[in-house]
Amino acid sequence: RLNQPRDLYRGLRAESLALLVYVAGRVKELSGAEEPLRVTSTLRDEGYQDLLRKSNPEATHRYSLHTTGYAFDVARRYESGEQAQAFQFLLDDLTARGLIAWIREPAAIHITVAKEAEDLVGDVLERERDE
């Protein structure tokens, strides 16, 4: 609806992408789920945020961390209880380690990644090379 290419809104900072890849892989390992978690939102510009404000009561009217590339949303739809539990375990673990902050919204989990997660970039790349 913004007459922009979809790819424009599919960006994340390297540390955010690495954390997302890490979480997705660990959730799959821990839960045995075949269906991946579904990312519903990554990067937004002001125009996109304005559009969301009109139809989504969860869209902030203040500064959105989605504009920074440090935030993304994951749908609250899970293949199984095991997948939901594995995801919750990782949210708690990463919060305790100071790597993320997150909130539960009606349809999604909003995750903001700390700059300190940049160490995960190397870990994720190394893991992918090993596989």
Side-chain angles (χ1 to χ4, degrees), residues 109-121:
I109 301 294
H110 172 82
I111 299 170
T112 301
V113 179
K115 180 109 173 88
E116 291 75 17
E118 64 190 353
D119 293 341
L120 282 174
V121 175

Side-chain angles (χ1 to χ4, degrees), residues 33-116:
E34 295 294 321
E35 290 293 318
L37 297 173
R38 189 169 63 99
V39 176
T40 60
S41 183
T42 57
L43 191 63
R44 297 181 194 156
D45 58 16
E46 222 21 68
Y48 188 175
Q49 189 68 23
D50 286 343
L51 185 64
L52 283 177
R53 287 181 189 119
K54 294 175 184 170
S55 62
N56 181 346
E58 299 299 318
T60 184
H61 288 269
R62 296 185 176 100
Y63 179 73
S64 172
L65 289 170
H66 282 279
T67 63
T68 66
Y70 282 112
F72 57 89
D73 296 341
V74 176
R76 291 183 61 195
R77 291 187 162 213
Y78 309 105
E79 176 183 308
S80 63
E82 290 82 4
Q83 186 182 41
Q85 288 177 335
F87 187 37
Q88 184 65 59
F89 169 78
L90 287 164
L91 290 171
D92 293 342
D93 178 60
L94 293 166
T95 299
R97 294 194 290 165
L99 298 178
I100 65 167
W102 65 276
I103 58 170
R104 185 177 291 112
E105 296 176 343
I109 301 294
H110 172 82
I111 299 170
T112 301
V113 179
K115 180 109 173 88
E116 291 75 17

